[in-house]
């Protein structure tokens, strides 16, 4: 079973993680790990905090998700650097 097979194209068709948990019978952590694995295998599973997971319907949707992920990664990096500078 693949999470991507349960998803539809377009943000308007997004499925919340809790619904994916119900559909798969798996816990949230396992669903998130499956999504990450599938993404790294090349399946473009997009996410939106407000709506859930979906496949891209347009290049704009894909690009917006990539921008959001890169922004979050940059914020996490900045926080890690601040903690590193602070020392013990």
């Amino acid at each position: 079973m693949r999470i991507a097979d349960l998803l539809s194209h377009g943000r308007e068709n997004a499925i919340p993680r809790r619904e994916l948990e119900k559909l798969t019978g798996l816990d949230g952590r396992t669903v998130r790990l499956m999504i990450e694995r599938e993404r790294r295998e090349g399946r473009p599973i997009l996410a939106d905090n407000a709506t859930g997971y979906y496949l891209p319907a347009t290049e704009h949707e894909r690009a917006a998700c990539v921008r959001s992920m890169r922004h979050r990664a940059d914020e996490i990096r900045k926080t890690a650097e601040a903690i590193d500078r602070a020392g013990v």
Side-chain angles (χ1 to χ4, degrees), residues 1 6 15-26:
M1 170 186 50
L6 301 173
I15 300 176
R17 190 194 76 242
R18 292 193 190 282
E19 183 64 24
L20 290 171
E21 291 172 23
K22 290 177 188 173
L23 290 170
T24 62
L26 302 170

Side-chain angles (χ1 to χ4, degrees), residues 1-8 15 20 38 43 45 55:
M1 170 186 50
R2 294 189 312 198
I3 298 296
D5 295 336
L6 301 173
L7 303 176
S8 296
I15 300 176
L20 290 171
E38 290 180 40
R43 291 176 191 86
I45 298 173
L55 300 174

Side-chain angles (χ1 to χ4, degrees), residues 10-77:
R11 182 177 179 210
E12 67 277 4
N13 297 310
I15 300 176
R17 190 194 76 242
R18 292 193 190 282
E19 183 64 24
L20 290 171
E21 291 172 23
K22 290 177 188 173
L23 290 170
T24 62
L26 302 170
D27 62 277
R29 185 175 196 286
T30 301
V31 169
R32 285 191 304 273
L33 289 172
M34 289 176 69
I35 289 167
E36 186 62 29
R37 185 183 72 235
E38 290 180 40
R39 284 172 166 168
R40 291 181 184 193
E41 291 172 348
R43 291 176 191 86
I45 298 173
L46 308 186
D48 179 296
N49 289 335
T51 59
Y53 295 94
Y54 58 100
L55 300 174
T58 66
E59 175 59 27
H60 176 73
E61 284 183 344
R62 188 198 61 77
C65 183
V66 169
R67 274 192 311 276
S68 174
M69 290 179 131
R70 287 185 174 148
H71 175 73
R72 288 194 328 254
D74 191 46
E75 292 300 310
I76 291 168
R77 182 189 53 77

